[in-house]
Amino acid sequence: MLNDLKDFLLNDFFVTGDPLILGSQVAIALSIVAIVFVLTYFKKWKWLWTEWLTTVDHKRIGIMYIIASLLMLFRGGVDALLMRVQLAAPQLEFLHADHYNQIFTTHGVIMILFMAMPLMFGLFNIVLPLQIGARDVAYPFLNALSFWLFFWGAMLFNVSFVIGGSPDTGWLAYPPLSGLQLSPGVGQDFYIWGIQISGIGSLATGINFVATILKMRAPGMKLMDMPMFAWSVLASCVTIMFAFPILTVTLFLLFLDRYLGAHFFTLDAGGNPMMYINLIWMWGHPEVYIVILPAFGIFSEVVSTFARKKLFGYKSMVFALMSISVASFFTWAHHFFTMGSGANVNAFFAITTMIIAIPTGVKVFNWLFTMFRGRITFSTPMLWTIAFIPCFVIGGMTGVLLSVAPADFQFHNSYFLIAHFHQVLIGGVVFGYFAGLYYWWPKLFGFKLHEGLGKWAFWFWNIGFYVCFMPQYVLGLMGMTRRFNEYDFDMGWQPLNIVSTVGAFLMGIAFIFQVWQIAHSIKFLKKEKTGDAWDGRTLEWSIPSPPPVYNFARLPQVSGRDPWWEEKQRIARGEQPSPLPPLEPIHMPKNSGIPFIMSFFWFVAGFGFVWDWKWMIIPGLAGVVICMLIRSFSYDTDYYISVEEIERTEAKLRGAY
Amino acid sequence: MLMAALLSGCTDKVIVLDPKGPIGEAQKDLIYLSTILCLIVIVPVLLLTAWVVWRYRDKPGRKAAYKPEWEHNTKLEIIWWTIPILIIIALGTVTVKYTYALEPSKPIESEKEPVTIQVTSLDWKWLFKYPDEGIATVNYVNIPEDVPIRFQLTSETAMNSFWIPQLGGQIYTMSGMAMTLYLQADEPGTYYGSGANFTGEHFAKMTFDVNAMPQEEYDEWVKQAKASGNPLTEEGYEQLKIPGTTGTHTFSSFPKGLFEKVVNQYAVGGSAHRHHGAAPGGESESRKEDAGAKGEHAHTPAASPSPSGGSHHAGH
Ligand code: HEM
Ligand SMILES: [Cu+2]
Ligand SMILES: [Cu+2]
């Protein structure tokens, strides 16, 4: 009995036998001990629970999203560096084939689903309500639930690194490879449940922000007056609402195949793996637009702030954003032109894909003409934006090349493809979110990040990026396919691979600069007292930094675009500031522990499903249901902030000016 | 930058741009053509970006205009909606034309009869069968130069992708269905081939050589292979199916209809196929000659128990 248990723990449960993994197991154990110790020593448990784990404040939820996503960027980045070391010198067998396969799979999943998505949600949470003059999102409780579902889903996925083994069938897990027969291990189940649980959270966030934008705008703010970032959030979230249900269903069917022996995607009994490939890309392609659209929104804000000029072609921009969001649903088959669906199908999807390039190109022109006749200053957010334009133009061009179906027969699955999607994901999504992070950081925390270190990070990222990925285009044309963990020296691929690895490490150094930048800026904290760090244009800059819980003491009355900029112009012209209406008590949602606890039960249930432990599944799901019931019957979910308290808070925040 | 890197590097290693057959050649032309079309727009955009950023930077005593309220100009916006539209129309036209011309299942024009080679991807090796010659190889494939080759492809396991960059682009190999890909080598030589779609642990080991040779040499090789007295038996195939890697092999014969059996193994009633697997002329069961109309993507009968597939099997 005891021996059986020991056997199970050492052979199946814990991943054993690799020094790298052993190292991380020890590191994880030590960090947990350290965190528990620090929290206990400083008596911070209660603070953690009441101020953070139970919060429904969109700003705090946003901060938690950002912290989590930066940790995931670190993990995904280490994965990337490990792969690059292996590829620079495959002779050394730094990573065995099975480890390499696990690492590129977890790298892809983590970067897209647990890094890009939460960083995006973090920015949505922090910025959107402030920009549209709202006191919170439409459904604050649901918002907290979304975050904790993401958090516990990501935990479940990451735990597979030390327990049970990581998934190793690629970030989209095509069957039959991901089916029970060819992937009998639990890694694939961790994949399914980790993504599934966090995916439900993403869907809820999408719904939440659409409702927020449609229903919670400040009085007088028409849709066509919204800041461009708000439009991009709307476009992204509408896309989420239509795309994520497809993912949920697809993964659920894969789960049924694996768990109950269903035959949706198997080869026998009438199943069809091609169905999965279609379905997963019906989500997967919109997904890449889900993450890039908000970056477009961020660039629009930054460009007009730092060129000190109105955004050029507002209506074109809105139209472009919304049409991309619709068109993104009609291009999925460009991911498998080589599946032999025939010339008609390929021609159709080639054209739809190319059509998307049109609104995208228009946006670039509009950004350029926002700078044209502007007065450009080069603070870090603007640097990222300027670097983005050429990077994205080139990445977009290689994307158009890939959409030329018969040419894609030569690009597909090669390093050309890898270079392309990293160029748009790093040069577009990551640069965009960095721009946003630098831009809104002072709003969030009330101090600016050190510009000098930020510029070092900026240059290392940029140079590293080109050094890393430009050679990969060539490697693709040299016939190197993706997901190779080794290659023959005769192919002549090694020199470029070494260059590429050097570039990857330059980006690694860039990340260290950013960590240093944050640490340095906290240590030598210089409070940013005006609340308007960049001479901004939109409503979030009209309130103190960091904003009070209720954001706006009085809901702003809006007429037209760039309301804060216009107000400042009026005052500069010597006009009276807009009159203030009297304060009124503010209605706020109460904190709740249910989102955290309920998501934890999801984690328990998911873990149970992974191992097929009924004794764990049943209490897990029961816990979820009980949490729902408790929430349905609790009526004490809100409170009012009195006028006196608002006055006190405002005097404290504004008095500091 | 890309081009510079290409030109300075040893170009003969950039195999996609150094094709040795008509399909690869056409694809290379298309790659160049589409690149040029794209560059027509993006080079001016890149220059414009540099100019705008430089000219409108903030500095004391700057002379360039500053118009903070200037936010709209219909004429300009029409221009930059039009430019990408025009380029996309041009590129789209080219693409559609080539999509039909290079449809992988479309026979290559030639006065010579195509040679059929049946390709099966296994874990983690490639099996090539020559139904007309009755021989088979593993992890290498010999072809006569200047003769169209009709590859028929399937998979015994996960989905792979069959790619010989210098002859032309890839096509997926999928279990339960047969795909067709026509390629041709215009000159003798050894060309690199690989599996391009991830299939698990030793996927990277699935590379193979394609040796294109003059007809006489090819015929000679076929004769030798036949005489080698090393048949691929049913058990031999079962051995081959076991996940693992292996070197190259040559077989003097293989079980008749093996390819069709592999393709049809999941079809309802597929097992009933054993007895008549040897369809006349080695033609794959699942794709009759009329398949061209459907782009020769022969899933329906093989992969899913569609009415036609089902009755077809029952009918035998
Ligand atoms: C820090 C720089 C990065 C480096 C050096 C890097 C490197 C790599 C490498 C070597 C691969 C494996 C290629 C193969 O399939 O053979 C890969 C795959 C991938 N990367 Fe990155 N990466 C980086 C950042 C990112 C970012 C920021 C994202 C997303 C926002 C991302 C998304 C992906 C995806 C989706 C895949 C495909 C995974 C798969 O094949 O299943 N990467 N990356
Ligand atoms: Cu796509
Ligand atoms: Cu197919």
Side-chain angles (χ1 to χ4, degrees):
Chain A
M1 175 68 197
L2 219 54
N3 270 335
D4 282 355
L5 187 64
K6 192 173 141 219
D7 215 44
F8 167 75
L9 285 179
L10 290 183
N11 291 333
D12 298 323
F13 195 71
F14 287 112
V15 179
T16 45
D18 186 274
L20 270 170
I21 292 180
L22 188 66
S24 10
Q25 279 164 334
V26 172
I28 291 171
L30 286 179
S31 332
I32 293 176
V33 171
I35 292 171
V36 170
F37 176 77
V38 168
L39 286 172
T40 313
Y41 187 81
F42 291 101
K43 303 207 172 57
K44 287 288 188 193
W45 284 105
K46 187 145 182 289
W47 166 83
L48 185 68
W49 178 255
T50 53
E51 299 287 314
W52 293 94
L53 303 191
T54 59
T55 188
V56 292
D57 178 347
H58 67 99
K59 300 177 287 298
R60 296 207 161 178
I61 292 175
I63 291 174
M64 291 192 291
Y65 265 123
I66 287 174
I67 294 173
S69 64
L70 292 180
L71 289 175
M72 287 290 99
L73 176 62
F74 176 73
R75 151 107 211 245
V78 171
D79 281 350
L81 294 182
L82 293 176
M83 287 189 286
R84 283 308 332 163
V85 170
Q86 165 69 17
L87 289 176
Q91 301 90 335
L92 300 182
E93 268 227 51
F94 174 68
L95 295 174
H96 297 292
D98 53 343
H99 282 136
Y100 189 86
N101 300 345
Q102 295 181 357
I103 290 179
F104 74 65
T105 303
T106 53
H107 166 80
V109 173
I110 284 177
M111 284 298 197
I112 301 242
L113 289 163
F114 301 134
M115 188 285 282
M117 290 292 278
L119 190 49
M120 172 180 97
F121 288 150
L123 290 167
F124 285 9
N125 263 290
I126 286 156
V127 181
L128 186 95
L130 302 182
Q131 269 201 333
I132 63 169
R135 294 215 165 103
D136 208 319
V137 295
Y139 311 113
F141 175 88
L142 185 65
N143 196 25
L145 184 60
S146 292
F147 172 75
W148 289 111
L149 283 172
F150 146 71
F151 178 85
W152 285 111
M155 283 292 151
L156 187 58
F157 185 86
N158 275 279
V159 95
S160 67
F161 184 53
V162 285
I163 292 177
S166 301
D168 57 0
T169 61
W171 80 287
L172 288 183
Y174 286 1
L177 186 59
S178 60
L180 195 56
Q181 218 183 351
L182 294 175
S183 294
V186 290
Q188 198 54 45
D189 303 300
F190 275 114
Y191 171 98
I192 292 174
W193 282 98
I195 297 181
Q196 199 67 298
I197 291 172
S198 72
I200 298 168
S202 304
L203 179 57
T205 305
I207 296 170
N208 208 340
F209 278 85
V210 170
T212 306
I213 291 173
L214 295 182
K215 287 289 173 200
M216 310 275 289
R217 295 191 310 282
M221 183 184 272
K222 297 205 237 12
L223 275 177
M224 284 311 252
D225 291 340
M226 284 201 307
M228 197 50 66
F229 179 70
W231 270 109
S232 73
V233 175
L234 183 62
S236 168
C237 288
V238 168
T239 316
I240 289 179
M241 278 172 63
F242 288 97
F244 268 76
I246 309 179
L247 175 69
T248 307
V249 170
T250 311
L251 289 181
F252 189 68
L253 296 182
L254 185 62
F255 160 72
L256 289 183
D257 272 10
R258 290 179 60 88
Y259 192 71
L260 295 181
H263 291 279
F264 292 102
F265 309 127
T266 58
L267 292 165
D268 51 341
N272 190 344
M274 282 194 305
M275 185 61 141
Y276 179 95
I277 299 174
N278 273 285
L279 286 171
I280 200 83
W281 281 114
M282 280 182 206
W283 161 78
H285 187 81
E287 166 64 13
V288 303
Y289 280 93
I290 288 168
V291 293
I292 194 76
L293 290 173
F296 292 164
I298 294 169
F299 292 127
S300 306
E301 300 294 323
V302 170
V303 123
S304 104
T305 301
F306 291 90
R308 304 177 58 74
K309 190 161 159 285
K310 283 190 172 153
L311 183 66
F312 198 87
Y314 181 93
K315 284 189 190 141
S316 277
M317 287 293 226
V318 170
F319 179 72
L321 281 173
M322 298 318 276
S323 60
I324 291 175
S325 137
V326 174
S328 71
F329 283 94
F330 299 94
T331 66
W332 77 90
H334 64 213
H335 293 281
F336 40 88
F337 281 140
T338 61
M339 205 154 78
S341 322
N344 292 335
V345 173
N346 280 4
F348 175 82
F349 282 99
I351 300 290
T352 54
T353 307
M354 289 177 188
I355 286 175
I356 287 212
I358 299 170
T360 313
V362 168
K363 302 180 79 62
V364 173
F365 283 112
N366 281 333
W367 289 318
L368 286 180
F369 276 76
T370 304
M371 293 193 278
F372 184 78
R373 298 188 181 155
R375 190 179 280 164
I376 308 170
T377 46
F378 299 93
S379 303
T380 34
M382 188 61 171
L383 282 182
W384 288 102
T385 305
I386 290 173
F388 149 81
I389 292 177
C391 197
F392 195 78
V393 166
I394 300 172
M397 167 180 141
T398 56
V400 171
L401 294 181
L402 288 165
S403 75
V404 178
D408 186 56
F409 279 66
Q410 290 280 34
F411 298 139
H412 186 51
N413 278 330
S414 80
Y415 261 84
F416 192 92
L417 168 76
I418 300 286
H420 155 71
F421 75 67
H422 281 93
Q423 182 146 22
V424 286
L425 282 173
I426 297 182
V429 176
V430 176
F431 284 15
Y433 295 177
F434 281 168
L437 215 46
Y438 284 108
Y439 182 56
W440 282 299
W441 187 280
K443 178 51 48 192
L444 192 51
F445 296 110
F447 66 93
K448 274 193 191 180
L449 286 171
H450 187 274
E451 283 278 303
L453 287 169
K455 285 181 180 163
W456 278 97
F458 169 80
W459 285 108
F460 268 96
W461 263 109
N462 269 275
I463 296 171
F465 170 79
Y466 287 100
V467 174
C468 181
F469 291 104
M470 291 304 113
Q472 293 186 9
Y473 281 115
V474 184
L475 281 170
L477 295 175
M478 293 171 86
M480 180 160 168
T481 52
R482 68 192 294 201
R483 299 174 178 177
F484 267 9
N485 67 310
E486 57 178 296
Y487 50 82
D488 199 348
F489 185 75
D490 295 340
M491 296 307 294
W493 297 341
Q494 192 156 23
L496 286 177
N497 269 304
I498 292 174
V499 174
S500 181
T501 300
V502 170
F505 275 89
L506 291 179
M507 285 186 273
I509 295 172
F511 186 74
I512 294 176
F513 267 108
Q514 288 175 307
V515 176
W516 181 13
Q517 181 191 20
I518 294 175
H520 182 277
S521 314
I522 292 175
K523 188 157 172 224
F524 301 97
L525 192 116
K526 280 210 283 294
K527 256 194 103 41
E528 197 287 303
K529 295 193 186 118
T530 64
D532 186 8
W534 313 106
D535 196 2
R537 314 174 69 85
T538 38
L539 287 177
E540 73 269 33
W541 306 108
S542 68
I543 53 174
S545 307
V549 248
Y550 48 78
N551 299 346
F552 295 89
R554 303 170 180 83
L555 286 184
Q557 184 70 40
V558 180
S559 57
R561 291 171 208 154
D562 293 345
W564 176 236
W565 177 260
E566 299 299 338
E567 174 83 359
K568 286 188 287 188
Q569 298 292 95
R570 275 196 291 278
I571 295 172
R573 269 184 259 126
E575 289 170 33
Q576 286 298 313
S578 312
L580 298 176
L583 287 173
E584 282 170 28
I586 296 175
H587 184 202
M588 296 296 289
K590 270 192 182 164
N591 283 1
S592 165
I594 294 177
F596 181 88
I597 297 170
M598 183 168 143
S599 308
F600 175 71
F601 278 120
W602 268 116
F603 173 88
V604 173
F607 199 83
F609 273 117
V610 167
W611 293 95
D612 194 5
W613 289 341
K614 307 255 178 338
W615 57 266
M616 200 162 175
I617 300 174
I618 293 166
L621 291 178
V624 171
V625 172
I626 290 170
C627 283
M628 287 185 188
L629 287 175
I630 294 178
R631 176 67 187 176
S632 314
F633 291 106
S634 46
Y635 298 102
D636 179 25
T637 56
D638 49 0
Y639 70 106
Y640 280 88
I641 305 181
S642 66
V643 170
E644 299 82 71
E645 199 185 330
I646 305 170
E647 274 168 351
R648 250 191 331 248
T649 315
E650 289 292 303
K652 207 169 98 211
L653 290 172
R654 308 231 176 213
Y657 291 0
Chain B
M1 189 176 318
L2 185 64
M3 284 296 145
L6 282 187
L7 294 178
S8 64
C10 30
T11 5
D12 63 320
K13 296 276 188 203
V14 186
I15 50 183
V16 169
L17 301 181
D18 182 26
K20 302 291 183 207
I23 303 288
E25 194 69 49
Q27 279 163 338
K28 183 195 77 178
D29 293 344
L30 182 59
I31 290 173
Y32 280 134
L33 184 61
S34 48
T35 308
I36 291 168
L37 277 175
C38 288
L39 287 175
I40 292 176
V41 215
I42 76 153
V43 170
V45 171
L46 293 177
L47 295 176
L48 183 67
T49 310
W51 179 76
V52 166
V53 170
W54 181 253
R55 175 151 171 91
Y56 294 99
R57 73 199 190 284
D58 191 23
K59 62 158 201 250
R62 184 188 82 152
K63 285 192 216 69
Y66 172 52
K67 297 213 169 140
E69 301 293 320
W70 189 61
E71 57 166 336
H72 179 64
N73 182 319
T74 312
K75 225 184 279 163
L76 278 175
E77 287 185 64
I78 289 178
I79 293 179
W80 61 68
W81 276 98
T82 318
I83 299 173
I85 290 179
L86 289 180
I87 289 290
I88 293 303
I89 289 178
L91 192 61
T93 316
V94 175
T95 301
V96 170
K97 208 180 111 220
Y98 273 89
T99 302
Y100 285 93
L102 295 180
E103 162 59 29
S105 58
K106 201 177 124 199
I108 293 174
E109 276 174 41
S110 165
E111 61 268 30
K112 299 190 186 131
E113 270 297 297
V115 171
T116 299
I117 298 179
Q118 296 170 329
V119 183
T120 310
S121 59
L122 296 120
D123 278 341
W124 289 282
K125 54 198 85 90
W126 291 95
L127 172 64
F128 300 94
K129 289 175 298 234
Y130 296 68
D132 298 328
E133 289 79 3
I135 56 173
T137 61
V138 169
N139 285 344
Y140 81 97
V141 57
N142 285 2
I143 57 172
E145 65 160 321
D146 226 14
V147 177
I149 312 292
R150 176 171 63 210
F151 289 106
Q152 295 180 323
L153 308 108
T154 191
S155 174
E156 177 63 70
T157 140
M159 176 170 112
N160 210 313
S161 189
F162 178 77
W163 190 26
I164 309 169
Q166 283 186 289
L167 301 190
Q170 62 196 279
I171 197 93
Y172 282 144
T173 62
M174 295 177 280
S175 32
M177 60 187 85
M179 312 289 288
T180 307
L181 171 69
Y182 279 91
L183 293 174
Q184 175 179 316
D186 285 341
E187 48 187 273
T190 296
Y191 307 123
Y192 169 79
S194 72
N197 192 65
F198 181 66
T199 50
E201 186 166 358
H202 291 297
F203 151 75
K205 294 242 167 40
M206 289 184 70
T207 60
F208 56 91
D209 279 342
V210 182
N211 307 303
M213 51 190 66
Q215 185 74 47
E216 312 79 66
E217 209 177 304
Y218 173 75
D219 293 338
E220 184 56 31
W221 170 75
V222 171
K223 216 182 293 159
Q224 273 173 14
K226 269 190 180 150
S228 69
N230 175 26
L232 176 65
T233 56
E234 297 268 357
E235 300 84 73
Y237 184 70
E238 292 303 315
Q239 289 288 315
L240 219 48
K241 269 163 71 171
I242 298 170
T245 58
T246 175
T248 57
H249 302 276
T250 311
F251 298 108
S252 53
S253 70
F254 63 87
K256 275 261 179 244
L258 180 57
F259 184 79
E260 291 73 15
K261 204 173 106 191
V262 171
V263 171
N264 288 325
Q265 62 184 319
Y266 306 105
V268 174
S271 55
H273 256 92
R274 278 167 196 276
H275 64 98
H276 73 265
E283 186 59 47
S284 158
E285 268 291 335
S286 53
R287 59 165 290 281
K288 296 283 188 244
E289 279 303 12
D290 65 0
K294 225 199 115 251
E296 303 213 8
H297 194 186
H299 311 130
T300 344
S304 52
S306 71
S308 75
S311 59
H312 163 78
H313 292 293
H316 283 278

